[in-house]
Amino acid sequence: MRSAHTTRLAKLASTAGAAALAATALLCAPTAAHAAPPATHPGLTWAAISQGPDGTVHVGGLGGTPSDPYRGDTPASAVRPVLCLKVDGSPAPDGITPDFYAGWAQGTVAASRPVRGSRLNSRGAADSVCQAEFGAGWRMAEFHDGHYGPDLGATGGWSFWAYGDLPVGTRLWTAINDQRANPWD
């Protein structure tokens, strides 16, 4: 038995030809409301390396916290907090000298509640974890968020400094924008 909706679509297609058929296909296409499949790729994780001056923290994959920014180091089935960052243009405090391998993120980091990596099926999904927990302007931190050089105009990698207090030794989901090392890759 055909539904009234299906009958109307069939009549429209028969009277308007191929253009109507194409429009019908677009109307019946899946929408953004349909959930994306779970992430399955190993993701990059970082940890707090050390606490610094004036409430700063050094995060990265250095100093005894091995990370794999090329393939990911933690299976998507693992449950970890997301390393969240809010960039607000904060200048580096005295005692922090940003360089390529330990830049200044110009803001504050925080750890979200732990989430399964499979839930991070897009960069938008990862950013939304940070926004839901900390508010507007927060996003998942990225491997290259550290700035250095004149006016902090250059970006580096491998670690960065920011304001914040993170649990030492806790692995945190961290994004990387130029390698396949994210759960959504």
Side-chain angles (χ1 to χ4, degrees):
M1 180 174 212
R2 294 175 104 177
S3 73
H5 178 70
T6 304
T7 302
R8 282 192 301 270
L9 289 177
K11 284 181 183 178
L12 176 64
S14 67
T15 58
L21 252 162
T24 301
L26 288 174
L27 290 172
C28 296
T31 66
H34 294 287
T40 59
H41 195 277
L44 172 66
T45 59
W46 275 5
I49 297 170
S50 64
Q51 299 298 320
D54 298 324
T56 59
V57 62
H58 186 200
V59 296
L62 306 171
T65 57
S67 293
D68 188 343
Y70 302 106
R71 292 181 302 269
D73 52 71
T74 303
S77 59
V79 177
R80 304 279 185 269
V82 174
L83 179 60
C84 298
L85 172 67
K86 183 173 186 178
V87 176
D88 60 13
S90 299
D94 291 339
I96 302 287
T97 304
D99 62 32
F100 180 88
Y101 294 104
W104 174 247
Q106 300 175 308
T108 302
V109 291
S112 76
R113 291 187 185 115
V115 298
R116 190 168 309 280
S118 59
R119 187 173 156 209
L120 307 177
N121 57 11
S122 70
R123 179 61 193 258
D127 290 345
S128 71
V129 169
C130 297
Q131 292 162 5
E133 189 135 350
F134 302 112
W138 285 86
R139 63 171 173 80
M140 183 183 212
E142 200 271 333
F143 183 91
H144 303 96
D145 275 328
H147 295 260
Y148 70 101
D151 299 321
L152 299 175
T155 57
W158 299 99
S159 75
F160 64 73
W161 288 92
Y163 288 109
D165 184 26
L166 297 172
V168 175
T170 299
R171 303 299 297 186
L172 305 147
W173 296 114
T174 306
I176 185 163
N177 65 14
D178 63 354
Q179 299 293 325
R180 291 185 41 83
N182 300 292
W184 56 86
D185 286 329

